[in-house]
Amino acid sequence: MLNLIVKDLVFNARQVLIGLLMSMFGFLTILDGPKYAAIGLFMVPALLFSQIVGKSCYMEDKDNAFKFLKSLPISKNNVVISKYVECIITLVCSYVFMYLVNLALTSLGLSKYVFNFNLVAYMASVLLLYFSVYLWIFFKYNFASAQHSTFFILMGSVAFYKIQDYLKITSIKIPGFFTGINTSYTLFAVALAAFIVLIKLSINAFLAKE
Amino acid sequence: MDNRLILHIRDLNKKYDKFALKDINIELPTGSIMGFIGPNGAGKSTTIKSILNIIPFDSGRILINGMDNIKDEIKTKQIIGYVGEQLNLYNEVSAYKIYKFVKKYYPEWDDSFFHQLVNKFGLDLNKRIKELSKGTGVKFALSLALSHHPELLVLDEPTSGLDPVVRNEVLDILLGIVNTEGCSVFFSSHITEDIVKVADYVTYINDGTILLSDSKKNILENYKSLEFADDIPESVKRHLKFYRNNTAIINNLDELLACCSKEFNGSKVVSRAAALDDILLFLIEEDAAHAELNS
């Protein structure tokens, strides 16, 4: 398993570096205080995911390298699970790093950003769902189809905000629904369950892939 | 050569929409080389990918040195060296990085042997896969496949697309290594020249069905090419399954002579061992005739 994760990082070293640099733009949102917190919490892991996991999927799909992996004495389950583990690593590292950067900036008086763990749980849930659906589409179909899913996620997000706006205009309140502790963590539990189910589905898809 | 089987395929079946592997049975004794011959689309790659468990199959069993290739997938793959028709390696990555990745999966990996092969083949490991020519790519894949001293080497048309010079070079080196290492080889190709050169056993496949599987010696003894100085007499043609111009392929000369020896009178005929290509055509014709008869 570790070999497979290291393989994705080593084979993809340049893209990993570019991803890290790109994610710096996401860190800039910390300087703007809580206003763009949700965007920062979404953008940093999403950029890293796209550069690290997404690019490794691209390479494997473009060169049919999954056939090469299947010919080696590697557990096929591990080939799939390693990609999902990379998602978790990307997510955890992004948030830990953001937290540390924020802590350092706060101690220097440069940040007014308060790390809201409910919001972190909420954004992590959304990303976890997105990553796992992306990988399932990749294993079931191909990289191009998985990339198209990005478009639907974006459209879905826009639609979601528009609906929220509409609900506010008509004074229908859903107090604390998206930031309440129980709701955030329940959503996280649901995302985690979906993540596990999608790992299983991805394994089945990979086993059948020709 | 001993009596154990390094590869034993039993009743392998795999169905696609427009093609199916039907009851494939193959036995390869340990220490032997088997050539797997068939036209494009006959099922050679599907069989080989089933051996490696790269694709799932519907029914049947594949044993590698007595181990089930699905239940003991990791163990069986550790004793197999595989070179596919396509390299399917990461094109943007250097050969060195791929070698470093692959070696971790083989407990028997022999680094000094790998570097010997790299030197022998004249490979530059710093080059990215996409920078390697087809021939160099095959040599690199062979180096990876041989460096853990596999007991069974599975090669899926490794020489297709190579020019004759590189093809011969690859075959000679391969044969040298196989002789030294004593590993068994299952080798698919539609270039029968390669098979004649290296194989102990030959298996013919067409349209997902095994047409014939026997030792090369027996096949070359049984199948003869009859070359008539003039046109083949019509009375003889009636007894032939396959002929082209003035050459006929037969699998039992005695039988043919028994039924039409008189018709041969006066014809100048030379009999010699048939070419593997011609035997394939003969078997395909024979199979088609059987199918027609059954329908």
Side-chain angles (χ1 to χ4, degrees), chain B residues 175-206:
Chain B
L175 205 59
I177 291 165
V178 167
N179 284 336
T180 322
E181 294 277 305
C183 67
S184 316
V185 185
F186 187 71
F187 176 30
S188 92
S189 181
H190 58 257
I191 306 169
T192 46
E193 259 177 73
D194 296 349
I195 308 259
V196 172
K197 241 184 185 181
V198 301
D200 304 308
Y201 290 84
V202 177
T203 296
Y204 285 97
I205 185 170
N206 183 49

Side-chain angles (χ1 to χ4, degrees), chain B residues 20-35:
Chain B
L21 280 185
K22 287 155 265 177
D23 294 323
I24 301 293
N25 284 286
I26 293 171
E27 294 184 357
L28 174 64
T30 303
S32 314
I33 300 178
M34 180 178 277

Side-chain angles (χ1 to χ4, degrees), chain B residues 114-168:
Chain B
F114 175 76
H115 288 291
Q116 268 179 42
L117 290 172
V118 165
N119 290 333
K120 196 170 199 171
F121 286 132
L123 299 172
D124 178 359
L125 293 182
N126 293 317
K127 279 192 174 175
R128 286 190 282 179
I129 298 301
K130 71 174 182 186
E131 293 167 339
L132 304 178
S133 66
K134 167 90 179 159
T136 317
V138 170
K139 289 172 184 174
F140 175 60
L142 270 173
S143 306
L144 290 177
L146 290 164
S147 295
H148 59 283
H149 302 289
E151 290 176 38
L152 172 64
L153 199 54
V154 178
L155 308 172
D156 188 4
E157 310 230 14
T159 53
S160 89
L162 301 184
D163 66 62
V165 177
V166 179
R167 216 178 78 210
N168 275 322

Side-chain angles (χ1 to χ4, degrees), chain B residues 6-285:
Chain B
I6 186 74
L7 173 66
H8 191 182
I9 303 179
R10 285 191 215 155
D11 303 321
L12 175 69
N13 284 281
K14 164 87 184 167
K15 203 170 185 317
Y16 291 103
D17 288 344
K18 291 179 181 170
F19 171 77
L21 280 185
K22 287 155 265 177
D23 294 323
I24 301 293
N25 284 286
I26 293 171
E27 294 184 357
L28 174 64
T30 303
S32 314
I33 300 178
M34 180 178 277
F36 194 36
I37 305 179
N40 289 333
K44 300 189 296 292
S45 290
T46 307
T47 307
I48 285 180
K49 283 175 187 159
S50 301
I51 295 171
L52 270 292
N53 201 12
I54 293 173
I55 57 169
F57 47 87
D58 302 331
S59 64
R61 232 183 141 193
I62 298 175
L63 302 171
I64 313 288
N65 206 14
M67 293 182 286
D68 189 289
N69 80 326
I70 292 176
K71 281 183 195 155
D72 298 308
E73 184 173 4
I74 306 288
K75 279 184 191 169
T76 53
K77 283 185 180 170
Q78 280 172 344
I79 61 166
I80 294 179
Y82 168 67
V83 179
E85 188 183 6
Q86 307 288 329
L87 280 185
N88 294 140
L89 294 172
Y90 297 80
N91 275 326
E92 302 294 333
V93 179
S94 71
Y96 180 78
K97 284 181 181 173
I98 289 175
Y99 137 70
K100 282 288 199 186
F101 169 67
V102 170
K103 67 179 271 192
K104 290 174 188 160
Y105 290 99
Y106 295 96
E108 303 295 321
W109 186 270
D110 183 343
D111 239 4
S112 65
F113 187 54
F114 175 76
H115 288 291
Q116 268 179 42
L117 290 172
V118 165
N119 290 333
K120 196 170 199 171
F121 286 132
L123 299 172
D124 178 359
L125 293 182
N126 293 317
K127 279 192 174 175
R128 286 190 282 179
I129 298 301
K130 71 174 182 186
E131 293 167 339
L132 304 178
S133 66
K134 167 90 179 159
T136 317
V138 170
K139 289 172 184 174
F140 175 60
L142 270 173
S143 306
L144 290 177
L146 290 164
S147 295
H148 59 283
H149 302 289
E151 290 176 38
L152 172 64
L153 199 54
V154 178
L155 308 172
D156 188 4
E157 310 230 14
T159 53
S160 89
L162 301 184
D163 66 62
V165 177
V166 179
R167 216 178 78 210
N168 275 322
E169 187 194 356
V170 167
L171 280 177
D172 287 344
I173 293 174
L174 181 67
L175 205 59
I177 291 165
V178 167
N179 284 336
T180 322
E181 294 277 305
C183 67
S184 316
V185 185
F186 187 71
F187 176 30
S188 92
S189 181
H190 58 257
I191 306 169
T192 46
E193 259 177 73
D194 296 349
I195 308 259
V196 172
K197 241 184 185 181
V198 301
D200 304 308
Y201 290 84
V202 177
T203 296
Y204 285 97
I205 185 170
N206 183 49
D207 196 22
T209 309
I210 297 291
L211 301 177
L212 175 70
S213 189
D214 202 349
S215 70
K216 185 175 76 181
K217 187 172 162 277
N218 282 348
I219 290 174
L220 295 179
E221 270 174 14
N222 293 337
Y223 288 83
K224 298 289 176 197
S225 164
L226 296 184
E227 286 173 24
F228 291 77
D230 303 312
D231 286 346
I232 304 172
E234 287 301 321
S235 51
V236 177
K237 277 183 184 174
R238 275 189 281 119
H239 300 281
L240 296 173
K241 285 171 187 161
F242 178 77
Y243 60 88
R244 193 172 46 192
N245 301 327
N246 57 346
T247 304
I249 306 296
I250 54 160
N251 66 339
N252 195 326
L253 183 58
D254 294 339
E255 201 177 283
L256 184 69
L257 288 174
C259 65
C260 57
S261 58
K262 281 180 193 166
E263 283 89 340
F264 277 91
N265 288 342
S267 303
K268 277 188 181 172
V269 185
V270 178
S271 162
R272 56 181 63 147
L276 294 180
D277 269 339
D278 290 335
I279 298 173
L280 173 65
L281 295 173
F282 171 89
L283 292 167
I284 291 172
E285 286 290 322

Side-chain angles (χ1 to χ4, degrees), chain A residues 3 6 21 32 199:
Chain A
N3 283 342
V6 171
L21 291 172
D32 284 327
I199 289 178

Side-chain angles (χ1 to χ4, degrees), chain A residues 44-122:
Chain A
V44 173
L47 280 171
L48 282 175
F49 171 81
S50 158
Q51 286 303 113
I52 299 171
V53 186
K55 291 288 178 187
S56 74
C57 291
Y58 165 71
M59 283 167 76
E60 265 159 39
D61 192 59
K62 180 173 74 77
D63 303 325
N64 276 330
F66 73 92
K67 288 181 184 168
F68 164 66
L69 292 177
K70 277 186 161 189
S71 74
L72 293 174
I74 306 174
S75 152
K76 293 191 183 91
N77 291 5
N78 283 355
V79 172
V80 175
I81 294 169
S82 65
K83 287 274 191 282
Y84 280 84
V85 171
E86 284 167 24
C87 292
I88 301 276
I89 293 172
T90 305
L91 202 57
V92 170
C93 286
S94 302
Y95 288 161
V96 167
F97 197 52
M98 281 183 89
Y99 179 75
L100 293 175
V101 169
N102 184 52
L103 208 65
L105 289 174
T106 309
S107 68
L108 295 170
L110 291 172
S111 173
K112 295 168 190 164
Y113 185 92
V114 179
F115 227 78
N116 181 338
F117 284 96
N118 289 332
L119 191 60
V120 170
Y122 173 66

